[in-house]
Amino acid sequence: MVALTVRGIALWELKSSPRWEVLLGDAARYHEWAAQIAAGDWLGRETFYQAPLYPYVLGMVYRATGPSVTAGRLLNVLFGVGACVLVGLAGRRMFGPRAGWLAGLGLALSGAEVFHETLLEKSALGTLWVGALLLVLATCLRWPQHRLCWLALGTVLGLWGLVRENALLCGGLVLAWIVLFPRRHRTSGWKLRAAALFLAGLLVPLAPVLVRNRIVGGEWVLTTAQFGPNFYIGNHREADGTYQELVPEHGTPAFEQFDARYLAEEAAGRRLTPGEVSRWWARRTWEEIQSAPGRWAKLMVQKVLLTWSSTELVDSEDQYTAAEESWMLTVLSGLGRFDILAGAAVFGLAALGRRWRRFWVLPALMVLYTLSVALFYVFARYRLPLVPMLALMAGAGLVRGGTLVRRRQGRRLAAAGAAVLAGVSLMQPGVVGPFFPDWPDLSISRAQAVTQFNLAVKLWKREAPLEAIEPHLAAATRLLPEYTSAWFYWGLILASEGDVEGGAARFEQALRCDPERVDIRIELGEALLRLGRPEEAIRVLEPAVSLAPGDPDVHHLLGRALVLAGRPQEALAPLQTAVRLDPNFALPRHLLAITLDRLGRHEEAREQFEDLLERLPTDSVEAAVIRRRLGNPRSPLKKP
């Protein structure tokens, strides 16, 4: 009831947020995917790129309710409430009734958990499976002779793996746990039966996905073909532990999937299947790791610390902005912080004393899951499965701490308190950040700026009016003045609305933030040309040529600026380069032909016009204009 009440209040308060109907990031993709499933597209058309279980569950709900974001959010709340009950039952079964109540309440009052349950994404379903896994683990500890427990353990882990693929790495830990089970069960036959039942249960949810990927995609892929790109994003030479797009400004799942395939096929020189794309990125990542193993080891340490940071790392939208819109989330974000819960769990582990040996699988599960997150990159929602595990240990710790107080065991209390103090200190970014030169910006202002920016871009793509978009861009740049992408998109939006002067001003601000962004220089150069300021455009575009010597757009735009500035002779070189880089790029070839003609080099101009004529559709307006020009008897371009 506590879990349902706090989630209901938070959901009601956030219903007036502009992000209620405007879905950001993965939420938009899951909503679209679930709507397709509800409409009858059950199999899809290619190997899964994202974990499929949540969209299918959501699709079944949409089948009954229609594609309603409210229904989806209510479903997530039910998942969260169920997870609290399961964690409470697990705590009760492992450590007693009081520990169970405290564990369930710890999860019920977690600010991060409640926030992610209000979003239309898969984290809530993942938490439900973690709660179920903890309950089944507790059952296996109490009644290991029951074969159904081990079958259920595999099934629940497989279901969790269809929400978070990295969770499948925990299967190895379960097998190790079976081997090292308490002595009275250490018979070879029992271990083989338990392991076989666990593996059979694991295949129950995974086998249909494996077969489906084979039928639809033509290759054996266990869950998704996302491993390689995600592995590269988290471990390449410039990685800092957070998400970085494969291509700048392409941060959505659809862009990521397209870019991963395009770049891999461009390098391989042929078409690749999704599995081959994943393997290509994995090989490239391993090559970069092997070239600098020391750098990668330090990056892994940094990612582990990020996973356990006290700050909630923003994905598409952040918890801190939501807390400003909901007093319930404000309270929970302070009371149910990740580091407070982690501190209570550390206290629980320390206070258990020798009893921890019986429950060693719990801290081992937290360690292994942490490493599975650090193997890729860190978001707040990626570490969310740790919260129910921490709540379970925290419940046990608080009960044990009360026992130690009653027994006046001051030394053990002091040791547990010291462990908590050390652990919580390491979770503060200001403590560990200075030791890592690539430590990312974890400020709350940055997280809020990302949310405002993503909302503005989404509104723009939905063709919302300018007065609905600009306040969010203004907020993003106020919160983070060096936010390059926000200034850049603000310029794009203003220029597209006809305010070229305002767009140029925002492009200039973006360029001050990042002088090496070629796309900013291109857009600013284009805006300056539209404003009749070619000399300024030349100064902006000349550095872009050295930054992107293989980009025909840059050379074409510079050549155009030089022509408009009255320097046609200088324009020939960049225009010729653009034509050489992309022979089918009609604009620079056309401008080159006109420029050569004006300089009196008629024969070269005629060759360019004829070459352009061959590449254009015969019925196009451009082709008709060129034919008329070449056929004019008074034109020096006419053949003798």
Side-chain angles (χ1 to χ4, degrees), residues 55-70:
Y56 275 84
V57 174
L58 186 61
M60 288 188 283
V61 172
Y62 282 0
R63 184 87 174 182
T65 66
S68 163
V69 296
T70 301

Side-chain angles (χ1 to χ4, degrees), residues 308-501:
W308 285 84
S309 169
S310 62
T311 305
E312 299 293 335
L313 272 71
V314 62
D315 184 357
S316 298
E317 51 189 304
D318 74 296
Q319 180 177 330
Y320 307 106
T321 298
E324 291 182 351
E325 301 167 339
S326 162
W327 71 266
M328 178 58 72
L329 272 178
T330 301
V331 172
L332 296 180
S333 296
L335 180 66
R337 281 170 36 187
F338 185 85
D339 54 345
I340 293 176
L341 193 60
V346 170
F347 180 86
L349 187 61
L352 280 175
R354 294 180 180 178
R355 291 184 63 198
W356 76 269
R357 295 176 183 175
R358 173 172 168 76
F359 306 106
W360 67 267
V361 68
L362 293 177
L365 185 63
M366 286 190 280
V367 169
L368 186 59
Y369 185 78
T370 297
L371 293 175
S372 76
V373 173
L375 192 61
F376 301 96
Y377 52 88
V378 185
F379 278 145
R381 62 187 175 96
Y382 288 178
R383 75 174 184 185
L384 202 63
L386 291 169
V387 173
M389 305 178 201
L390 292 173
L392 185 61
M393 292 303 302
L398 292 173
V399 171
R400 184 62 177 167
T403 302
L404 295 178
V405 169
R406 287 194 301 273
R407 294 178 181 176
R408 298 183 180 180
Q409 297 184 3
R411 289 184 179 180
R412 293 186 63 180
L413 280 171
V420 170
L421 184 61
V424 173
S425 297
L426 287 174
M427 296 177 70
Q428 308 309 313
V431 174
V432 297
F435 296 96
F436 296 89
D438 296 326
W439 191 261
D441 180 6
L442 302 184
S443 64
I444 292 175
S445 59
R446 178 188 176 276
Q448 293 178 313
V450 169
T451 299
Q452 295 292 343
F453 167 69
N454 287 336
L455 181 56
V457 173
K458 189 73 175 191
L459 288 169
W460 180 43
K461 291 180 178 178
R462 293 179 63 163
E463 299 182 352
L466 184 61
E467 55 269 20
I469 300 171
E470 278 203 287
H472 299 292
L473 290 168
T477 51
R478 184 183 67 253
L479 289 162
L480 194 65
E482 66 277 15
Y483 200 166
T484 306
S485 295
W487 288 115
F488 177 60
Y489 267 87
W490 200 349
L492 287 177
I493 292 168
L494 288 176
S496 69
E497 294 288 329
D499 184 3
V500 183
E501 186 77 43

